[in-house]
Amino acid sequence: MPKPGEHKTVQARILAYAEEIGWTFVSRAEAERRRHFNQSAPSPSAAAHVASLYFEDLLYEKVREFNQEYRAITGWQVGDIHTFPDNPATTLPSVMEVRETTPAYHATPGALISELQRLQNNIYGNRDMHRYLCNEATYYSAEEKRELNLNLIDYDNPEANVYEVTEEYTISNGRYSIREDVVFLINGIPVLVIECKNANKDEAIALGIDQIRRYHAETPEIFVPEMIYSVTEAIGFSYGATWNTIRRNIFNWKDEEIGNLEAKIKTFCSIPHILALIKQYILFAEKDEELQKFILRQHQTSAVEKVVERCLEPTKQRGLVWHTQGSGKTFTMIKAADLLFRAADANKPTIILMIDRNELEDHILRNLAMLGLQNVEHANKINRLIELLRNDYRGIIVTMIHKFNDMPANICERSNVYVLIDEAHRTTGGDLGTYLFAGLPNATMIGFTGTPIDKTAHGKGTFKTFGLNDPKGYLDKYSISDSIIDKTTLPLFYNLAPNELLANPELMEKEFWSLAETEGVSDISELNRILERAVNLKNFLKADERVDKVAKYVADHFVRNVEPLGYKAFLVGVDRPACAKYKLALDKYLPAEYSAVVYTGNNNDTKELKAYHLDKKAEKQIRKNFPKFGIQPKILIVTEKLLTGYDAPILYAMYLDKPMRDHTLLQAIARVNRPYENEAEEMVKPHGFVLDFVGIFDKLEKALAFDSDEVNAIVKDIALLKGLFKLKMEKKVPQYLALIHHNFTDKDVDGLIEHFRDKDRRKEFFREYKEIEMLYEIISPDAFLRPYLEDYATLSAIYSVVRKAYAKKIMIDRAFQRKTNELVQQYVDIGYIEPIQEFIEINAETIELIKNNDNGDSTRIINLIKSIQTIAKDESDDPFLIAMSERARMVQERYEDRQTSTAEALSELFDEINKNEERKKEQSEKGFDGLTFFVYRALLDAGVEDAEEASIQIKQAFIEYPNWRTSESELREVRNNVTFAIYAKIDNLDEVAAIVDELFSLLTKAYEIDK
C-alpha cells in the first residue's frame, strides 16, 4: 500500500491548524491571481518569473489605511518612497531631488512594490525589509512637509492587519524555480515559510533544512521579505531566521506535547507570536566583521519578557536570570534593554548595561548601534558616569562595575532606573556592589549569570543578592542540561592523563583543594592570586622534565585525535612562565606555526616571557584566525586570556594543566562546548573534550559545587562511554555481523542491499551505527578497544555498503569517519564494497552486461540506477538523459517501497536503456544535438506535422541565444522564435501556445531535476 505523501500528512494539516488560529487560507490559484501571474505568459515558469512576491493590492490598501498622509503624497515617483533615518542613501533619487523636479504625482501600488523589489537580494536587503516591517522606514508628506514613518503592520491594533496562509508558493527568476510548501503573509507580505517533509523519509528535517539552504542560493529574492523559516515532518519542528541556516542557529520549537504537530503550529504560528518575532526578536548584528541575523530562542524571549515585567513591577526590585554559558545572555540583555526603553510604562527610563570585560563592552556597543538604538551613551570613565546620572540622562548607558568605585550615595533616586548586570556572580561582590546599590537606591537590579554562586564558602551569594523576590532564587533559568537537550551547547567528555603525567595528588590537596578561598572563585585573576601561594604545586607543574613529557603527549594526542577531525585545541598552563615553557616544548614535536601563546605582557617580564609578547594587532589577528578552519594556529597556549568570553566554536579539545574549580573551571571548559558546523567540510562537532593533567575531574563533586544534576549534565567521564560501547557491541552488533556469510564477498554485498531495502530497517541501522561510531571516535585510541576492532571494522564496512547504495546526500559529520575509514581499510578487503559503485556505461551492450554480471539483482538495480544518474549529471546539457535520470529515481523509490518487484524494476530500467539506444540512433541520423532532439520528440508527441523541419528552425534559435537558461531576455526571444516556428505548421494560436507551454515546462523540469 502506498504511503501517504507529505501534503496529506503534513501540509494540509498545517493549513487547517493555521485557519483555526486566525489565518485565512488562500488557495494556490487565488494566490497566483493576486500575485499577478501573467496568464498570457508563454509557460508556467515564465508566468512565475513575472509574478510578484506580494499580494500587491492588499499591501497598498493597508499602507493607505495605516498612513493617512500617504493618500495625499505629491511630488513622488518610483524610487522616492522611503528612506531610513540612519541610511538615507538607500533610495535614489533623493526625496528633495524628486520633489524639486517632479510635478504632482499620486503614489501607485506599482511604485511601492518597485521600491521593495529594489532591495538587495541578500541579508542587507532582508535587514532593510525588516525595518519596513517594523515601521522604521519613512515617506515624505507634502502636506506636513516632513518625513513620516511608513506603517506596514499595525502592532498596536493587531486586528487591523490581514493574516493569510497559502501553499505551493512558486518563485522563478529565469534560472531557477522553487515552490515553497506553506507561506504565511501579513498584509500581503510573505513573512514565514514552512517546508514540509514526510516523516517516512530518513533524516527528513535535515533534508528540509538542506532544501531551505538551496532556496537561499538559487532564489534569494524570496528571502528578502521572508523573515523566518521552519521545517517539520509532523514530529519535529525546527525553525530559524532566514539568511542564517547554520546548524547551531537552527532551533527546535518546544511544546509540552512532544510530536504534537497541532500544538506546535498553534503556538509557534500564533499571530501574537509571529508579530512578536518580527517586531521584537529578530536581530541583525555584526560578528566577525560580517552582518549576521539572529532570532531569539524560547528561553531568551521568556527571559526578556520576565525581565521587562519585573522592572515595571513597582513592588519588586531584584531578579536573577540564570542562563548557562553560551546560551546568548548578551542578546537577551540587549533586547531586554531595548524593550524597556520603548515601554510606555517605563516613562523615559535610564537603563544601565553593566559589563565586566572591556572586549564585551565594545561588543555590546557595536550591537546596540546595529540595532539602531539612538539613546546610547558609553560611560567609559567614572566622571562620565557620574555626569550622566547627575544630569538625569534618559536612555541606555553602557559601563563597567569598577566605574562605580567611590560613587556618591543617592546620586539618582528615581525608581525608573534599571540596571542589567552581566556576570552578576562576580561583578557585584565586595565594595563595588555596595557603591552601586547605595548610589541607585530605588533602581531595579537584574543580574545575569551562567554560574551563580551557591553551596560554597560564600554562602548563597548571587541568590542572596538578586533572588530574594523569587521563591526559587531566580526569575528565569536555562540550565546546562536544557542547553544540551536543545543543542545550543554540546556535552563535554573528559579523560584523565596517564598517572605519570598527573599533578601530585598530595600537593593538589594541600595547596589547592584544602584552601577554602578557592571555593566559589569566579574570576581567573583572583584564582591566579590564590595560586601564587601554591609554590610547591606550581614548581611541580612547571618542572622541565614534566613539561616536556606533557608537551610530547599533547602533540601526539592532537595529531592522532584532534587534527584529523579538523578541529583545534587549547593548552592551559598554570601561569605565564608555564605557557612560555610549553611553547618551547611543543615546538620540538610540532611545527612552530601550529601553536601560539596568548597572555598579557608586562614591562618587568623576563627575557623568556617577553619572547612571546604580542602587540594588539598581532593578538587580534590570532583571535581572528583561530576560529577559522584550516588556518594556523591550531593550538593556543593560554593561562588567563581567552578563558572567558572568547568564542571559537572550532575549539574541540582542552588540555588542562591548571588547577581550577567552580566558576573558573566551568567558564574555561565552556570554551569547548560551542556547537560548530562547517558545511564545506561536512563537519558537525558532536561534543567537546577535556584532557585533564591535574586531576580535577577525579574529584568532580569537589571541583563543581553545583547541583548534582547540573554537574552530570556538564561533563561525562569517558569510562561511562566505554561501558555503553561494550554493551552495544555485545548486544546490538551481532545481528548485523550475522548478515555476513562469505567473509564479505560480493554475495554478502548483494545480501546487504536486499536486507536493507526496507526503509525502516535501514533507518534503525543507520541510527545505531552513528551512535556506535561516535563512541568509537571519542574513545579511540585506547587499549580498551582492542577486542572490538575487527567487529567494529566489519560493522563499518556494512554501513559503508548500505549508505553508498541507498543514502541521500545529507550533511553528516564526515570528520568523525576518518579514523573509522582507516580501520576498515586495515581489517576489511574493501574491494568487495565497490560493486555498488560500479559504473556501467549506458549503451547497446549494457543489458547483456548486467544479465551476465555475477552480482545479485538488487545490486544490479542499484548500480544501474547510479550509472544512469551519473551519465545524466555528466551530460547535463542533454534534457533527454536528465529526464531519464528522474524516471530511474522513481523506479528506485517504487522498488524500495516494494511497490514493484526486482524483476519489474530491472525490466523498467532495461526499457529506459532500449529507449535511449533508439533515441541515440535516431538523433545521430538526423544530426541533432541533445536539446534539439528533445524538442523534436516533444513536437512529435504533440502531433506537429513536419516536426523535423520545425526543430531545425528551433535549433537555430537556441544557437543564437545560448544563455536562454540564465537570461530572461534571451529566454523570451527563444520562446518567440519557437512560437513562430510551430505557428508556421499549425494555424491555431491557442494550440501553438499550449504546445510551447508544454515544451518549456518539460525543459524546465528536465533542467531542474536534482538541483
Side-chain angles (χ1 to χ4, degrees):
M1 178 181 293
K3 296 180 180 179
E6 65 188 43
H7 181 277
K8 183 175 181 180
T9 58
V10 183
Q11 189 165 315
R13 292 166 60 195
I14 290 175
L15 294 169
Y17 298 145
E19 282 194 280
E20 292 175 16
I21 57 174
W23 298 88
T24 300
F25 174 66
V26 179
S27 69
R28 177 182 178 182
E30 174 66 9
E32 291 180 352
R33 184 191 67 77
R34 292 173 60 185
R35 291 174 58 206
H36 307 300
F37 264 58
N38 186 351
Q39 302 304 325
S40 63
S43 75
S45 62
H49 181 52
V50 299
S52 173
L53 295 176
Y54 309 91
F55 292 167
E56 297 182 4
D57 291 346
L58 173 61
L59 173 56
Y60 188 64
E61 173 190 328
K62 285 298 175 181
V63 168
R64 289 174 61 84
E65 177 184 337
F66 297 156
N67 304 270
Q68 297 300 317
E69 295 297 330
Y70 193 81
R71 299 179 181 178
I73 294 177
T74 57
W76 175 88
Q77 64 180 13
V78 176
D80 177 45
I81 308 173
H82 320 298
T83 60
F84 299 119
D86 58 338
N87 188 14
T90 55
T91 58
L92 291 174
S94 71
V95 174
M96 187 60 68
E97 288 171 335
V98 174
R99 194 162 61 244
E100 291 177 350
T101 60
T102 309
Y105 182 85
H106 288 284
T108 65
L112 173 58
I113 298 303
S114 294
E115 181 68 14
L116 297 180
Q117 288 175 340
R118 292 189 342 163
L119 298 176
Q120 299 177 66
N121 294 334
N122 54 29
I123 189 173
Y124 293 94
N126 185 249
R127 178 191 61 183
D128 289 342
M129 186 66 197
H130 183 251
R131 290 173 172 174
Y132 278 104
L133 292 173
C134 292
N135 301 334
E136 295 173 358
T138 65
Y139 68 94
Y140 179 76
S141 169
E143 188 170 308
E144 296 201 16
K145 298 182 179 180
R146 63 189 180 97
E147 297 290 317
L148 300 177
N149 282 348
L150 176 70
N151 298 308
L152 298 187
I153 298 176
D154 192 335
Y155 293 97
D156 296 328
N157 303 288
E159 65 281 358
N161 302 306
V162 175
Y163 307 96
E164 295 172 305
V165 60
T166 188
E167 62 179 337
E168 307 298 321
Y169 206 76
T170 303
I171 305 296
S172 178
N173 56 16
R175 182 174 185 182
Y176 297 108
S177 294
I178 67 164
R179 189 168 62 241
E180 296 181 323
D181 291 335
V182 179
V183 173
F184 293 75
L185 303 95
I186 300 178
N187 296 335
I189 303 170
V191 294
L192 163 67
V193 55
I194 298 182
E195 186 64 31
C196 305
K197 288 298 171 188
N198 194 318
N200 294 311
K201 289 187 177 181
D202 295 345
E203 304 291 346
I205 295 287
L207 286 169
I209 290 170
D210 190 58
Q211 202 160 325
I212 293 289
R213 290 191 179 108
R214 176 170 67 83
Y215 291 171
H216 275 80
E218 294 181 355
T219 55
E221 300 89 344
I222 186 57
F223 292 110
V224 173
E226 289 180 351
M227 295 289 137
I228 312 158
Y229 65 87
S230 59
V231 178
T232 183
E233 69 333 15
I235 300 172
F237 193 95
S238 296
Y239 71 100
T242 53
W243 300 101
N244 190 337
T245 58
I246 298 173
R247 184 181 297 260
R248 67 174 178 271
N249 291 320
I250 300 172
F251 315 118
N252 294 321
W253 181 252
K254 293 188 294 185
D255 188 79
E256 292 180 1
E257 299 181 59
I258 297 175
N260 187 327
L261 179 64
E262 180 178 2
K264 287 183 171 67
I265 295 299
K266 290 185 176 180
T267 52
F268 184 84
C269 298
S270 73
I271 289 171
H273 181 246
I274 297 300
L275 288 175
L277 287 179
I278 294 171
K279 178 69 173 175
Q280 300 173 349
Y281 297 128
I282 288 175
L283 307 178
F284 291 85
E286 280 193 1
K287 188 173 183 181
D288 301 327
E289 300 180 2
E290 291 183 3
L291 181 64
Q292 296 190 22
K293 181 182 177 184
F294 302 94
I295 188 168
L296 266 60
R297 291 161 273 176
Q298 282 174 280
H299 70 272
Q300 292 174 293
T301 60
S302 171
V304 168
E305 290 164 4
K306 289 178 182 178
V307 167
V308 172
E309 182 181 359
R310 175 57 51 87
C311 288
L312 299 179
E313 165 60 56
T315 63
K316 297 179 180 179
Q317 292 182 293
R318 299 287 183 272
L320 177 65
V321 177
W322 177 5
H323 284 195
T324 189
Q325 301 287 334
S327 61
K329 290 196 303 297
T330 299
F331 280 162
T332 304
M333 284 182 65
I334 288 176
K335 183 45 67 174
D338 179 28
L339 295 189
L340 271 173
F341 179 68
R342 298 169 186 262
D345 291 345
N347 192 24
K348 297 183 179 179
T350 299
I351 302 165
I352 301 175
L353 289 179
M354 191 86 68
I355 313 303
D356 75 319
R357 296 188 305 277
N358 285 320
E359 59 194 61
L360 188 54
E361 190 176 27
D362 295 338
H363 177 64
I364 281 205
L365 286 166
R366 286 197 304 272
N367 285 331
L368 287 169
M370 288 297 298
L371 289 174
L373 273 68
Q374 304 299 311
N375 291 43
V376 178
E377 287 286 344
H378 182 198
N380 58 342
K381 295 182 179 180
I382 294 175
N383 290 340
R384 178 57 178 157
L385 178 60
I386 292 174
E387 177 187 2
L388 288 168
L389 293 175
R390 276 184 174 158
N391 292 339
D392 199 32
Y393 172 78
R394 307 299 180 103
I396 298 174
I397 300 173
V398 178
T399 191
M400 298 178 69
I401 183 63
H402 66 262
K403 302 296 191 303
F404 275 86
N405 191 36
D406 289 329
M407 177 68 65
N410 302 318
I411 190 170
C412 182
E413 299 183 78
R414 280 189 290 110
S415 61
N416 63 338
V417 176
Y418 310 113
V419 186
L420 310 184
I421 306 168
D422 191 27
E423 304 297 348
H425 56 274
R426 64 170 177 258
T427 50
T428 54
D431 293 340
L432 290 174
T434 300
Y435 287 127
L436 168 65
F437 290 110
L440 306 171
N442 299 313
T444 299
M445 307 280 183
I446 306 293
F448 289 76
T449 181
T451 54
I453 294 176
D454 190 21
K455 297 184 179 180
T456 70
H458 296 279
K460 286 292 181 182
T462 317
F463 295 104
K464 182 179 180 180
T465 303
F466 294 97
L468 296 178
N469 294 141
D470 298 289
K472 294 183 179 180
Y474 53 82
L475 182 64
D476 194 70
K477 179 182 178 183
Y478 184 68
S479 69
I480 296 171
S481 56
D482 291 333
S483 70
I484 290 174
I485 291 171
D486 290 345
K487 298 183 180 179
T488 55
T489 59
L490 300 175
L492 284 171
F493 295 99
Y494 72 88
N495 206 356
L496 294 176
N499 287 333
E500 64 270 18
L501 298 179
L502 283 173
N504 184 297
E506 288 78 16
L507 286 175
M508 280 288 292
E509 180 62 36
K510 181 179 179 181
E511 298 191 4
F512 185 71
W513 294 120
S514 64
L515 300 179
E517 58 263 39
T518 63
E519 295 183 25
V521 171
S522 57
D523 186 87
I524 289 183
S525 60
E526 185 181 350
L527 174 68
N528 289 340
R529 288 191 292 272
I530 294 172
L531 288 175
E532 285 298 324
R533 303 199 301 272
V535 177
N536 295 320
L537 177 59
K538 291 179 70 174
N539 286 338
F540 176 89
L541 295 175
K542 294 188 291 185
D544 291 344
E545 184 178 356
R546 179 180 181 276
V547 166
D548 187 74
K549 288 181 179 179
V550 171
K552 186 176 186 303
Y553 191 90
V554 166
D556 181 64
H557 185 277
F558 180 81
V559 169
R560 295 179 64 182
N561 292 73
V562 182
E563 187 178 30
L565 310 180
Y567 298 116
K568 298 189 178 184
F570 269 11
L571 171 55
V572 184
V574 69
D575 57 16
R576 296 185 306 138
C579 291
K581 282 191 170 188
Y582 270 124
K583 173 60 178 168
L584 282 171
L586 269 184
D587 286 352
K588 292 166 53 179
Y589 304 106
L590 292 173
E593 63 270 17
Y594 266 47
S595 62
V597 182
V598 180
Y599 55 59
T600 302
N602 190 303
N603 290 333
N604 298 323
D605 282 347
T606 63
K607 179 181 178 181
E608 290 77 12
L609 289 177
K610 286 184 176 179
Y612 301 110
H613 282 190
L614 296 171
D615 59 34
K616 288 185 177 181
K617 183 177 179 181
E619 182 178 328
K620 182 179 179 181
Q621 192 60 47
I622 288 175
R623 286 170 175 259
K624 188 175 179 180
N625 287 344
F626 185 73
K628 297 179 180 178
F629 175 83
I631 296 179
Q632 306 285 9
K634 299 182 179 182
I635 301 173
L636 290 186
I637 305 170
V638 299
T639 186
E640 178 176 346
K641 271 193 172 183
L642 308 187
L643 287 181
T644 59
Y646 182 60
D647 190 14
I650 199 171
L651 177 62
Y652 166 76
M654 176 174 286
Y655 302 108
L656 186 62
D657 198 35
K658 178 173 186 170
M660 294 181 181
R661 65 185 302 179
D662 296 329
H663 313 282
T664 55
L665 175 60
L666 188 56
Q667 288 165 344
I669 63 178
R671 298 311 103 207
V672 300
N673 77 347
R674 301 296 195 265
Y676 175 79
E677 174 186 3
N678 185 322
E679 192 169 350
E681 295 296 319
E682 296 184 357
M683 292 167 57
V684 180
K685 190 168 86 174
H687 60 268
F689 176 74
V690 179
L691 184 56
D692 178 10
F693 286 91
V694 287
I696 289 172
F697 290 99
D698 200 28
K699 298 180 180 293
L700 194 55
E701 292 297 330
K702 261 190 175 182
L704 292 170
F706 303 111
D707 293 339
S708 58
D709 290 343
E710 286 293 293
V711 172
N712 292 334
I714 297 167
V715 287
K716 300 181 186 297
D717 189 349
I718 282 185
L720 300 175
L721 301 187
K722 291 180 180 179
L724 183 58
F725 182 83
K726 180 176 184 293
L727 180 67
K728 286 185 175 292
M729 290 299 295
E730 294 176 356
K731 300 296 184 184
K732 296 285 187 180
V733 170
Q735 62 177 308
Y736 299 120
L737 300 181
L739 299 173
I740 305 301
H741 302 286
H742 307 284
N743 198 26
F744 234 116
T745 66
D746 57 330
K747 299 297 182 185
D748 288 322
V749 172
D750 297 338
L752 289 174
I753 292 175
E754 178 59 32
H755 179 80
F756 287 107
R757 180 174 156 192
D758 182 270
K759 289 183 178 180
D760 292 335
R761 181 182 289 171
R762 195 163 69 235
K763 190 174 184 178
E764 173 66 16
F765 171 60
F766 283 1
R767 185 186 64 78
E768 284 287 352
Y769 175 76
K770 295 309 292 183
E771 289 182 9
I772 294 170
E773 181 193 44
M774 187 186 77
L775 291 170
Y776 171 82
E777 297 290 350
I778 295 171
I779 298 168
S780 174
D782 194 294
F784 159 82
L785 294 171
R786 181 64 187 86
Y788 305 102
L789 289 183
E790 189 169 349
D791 284 350
Y792 175 70
T794 303
L795 182 72
S796 299
I798 292 172
Y799 171 76
S800 179
V801 168
V802 180
R803 181 175 176 272
K804 288 175 183 176
Y806 290 109
K808 309 292 189 298
K809 186 184 185 301
I810 303 169
M811 185 170 177
I812 57 167
D813 186 8
R814 188 180 65 187
F816 272 77
Q817 295 179 339
R818 293 172 185 169
K819 290 192 289 181
T820 294
N821 287 345
E822 294 174 3
L823 187 70
V824 172
Q825 293 170 16
Q826 179 182 350
Y827 280 88
V828 180
D829 184 353
I830 60 170
Y832 290 129
I833 304 176
E834 294 307 313
I836 58 164
Q837 285 187 313
E838 180 183 350
F839 178 77
I840 304 165
E841 187 175 355
I842 306 300
N843 55 32
E845 290 77 37
T846 297
I847 295 176
E848 203 60 36
L849 177 66
I850 288 285
K851 287 180 178 178
N852 295 332
N853 195 307
D854 290 334
N855 292 331
D857 286 344
S858 297
T859 304
R860 293 170 184 168
I861 290 172
I862 296 299
N863 282 332
L864 193 50
I865 290 169
K866 289 185 177 293
S867 296
I868 291 173
Q869 292 172 339
T870 300
I871 290 174
K873 185 177 180 181
D874 293 342
E875 302 290 337
S876 59
D877 286 333
D878 192 330
F880 189 96
L881 287 176
I882 298 173
M884 179 181 172
S885 172
E886 172 66 3
R887 292 192 295 272
R889 184 189 64 79
M890 294 172 66
V891 169
Q892 181 178 2
E893 283 196 0
R894 292 195 301 273
Y895 174 69
E896 289 183 20
D897 290 337
R898 299 191 181 274
Q899 295 177 19
T900 59
S901 67
T902 304
E904 288 171 336
L906 275 175
S907 177
E908 287 185 61
L909 293 171
F910 289 159
D911 285 345
E912 290 294 337
I913 294 171
N914 285 328
K915 289 177 184 176
N916 189 47
E917 286 303 305
E918 294 173 6
R919 185 268 307 189
K920 286 194 292 186
K921 181 179 179 181
E922 186 177 1
Q923 180 179 327
S924 175
E925 291 173 351
K926 297 185 179 300
F928 287 167
D929 58 31
L931 176 59
T932 308
F933 185 80
F934 188 83
V935 172
Y936 166 69
R937 287 303 315 175
L939 297 185
L940 275 184
D941 293 341
V944 175
E945 295 183 8
D946 297 327
E948 184 172 347
E949 181 181 342
S951 298
I952 293 172
Q953 295 178 34
I954 291 171
K955 174 182 179 179
Q956 189 59 37
F958 284 113
I959 293 174
E960 290 179 14
Y961 302 103
N963 299 316
W964 65 274
R965 289 172 58 190
T966 58
S967 167
E968 179 185 358
S969 60
E970 291 201 11
L971 174 61
R972 187 163 48 246
E973 292 299 329
V974 167
R975 290 184 63 90
N976 288 338
N977 281 296
V978 170
T979 300
F980 288 131
I982 299 174
Y983 190 51
K985 307 298 179 183
I986 299 177
D987 191 16
N988 184 319
L989 192 55
D990 290 338
E991 188 178 346
V992 171
I995 293 173
V996 173
D997 281 352
E998 178 63 19
L999 173 60
F1000 278 88
S1001 177
L1002 290 171
L1003 286 170
T1004 300
K1005 288 179 182 178
Y1007 284 116
E1008 290 302 317
I1009 288 171
D1010 289 337
K1011 289 284 186 174

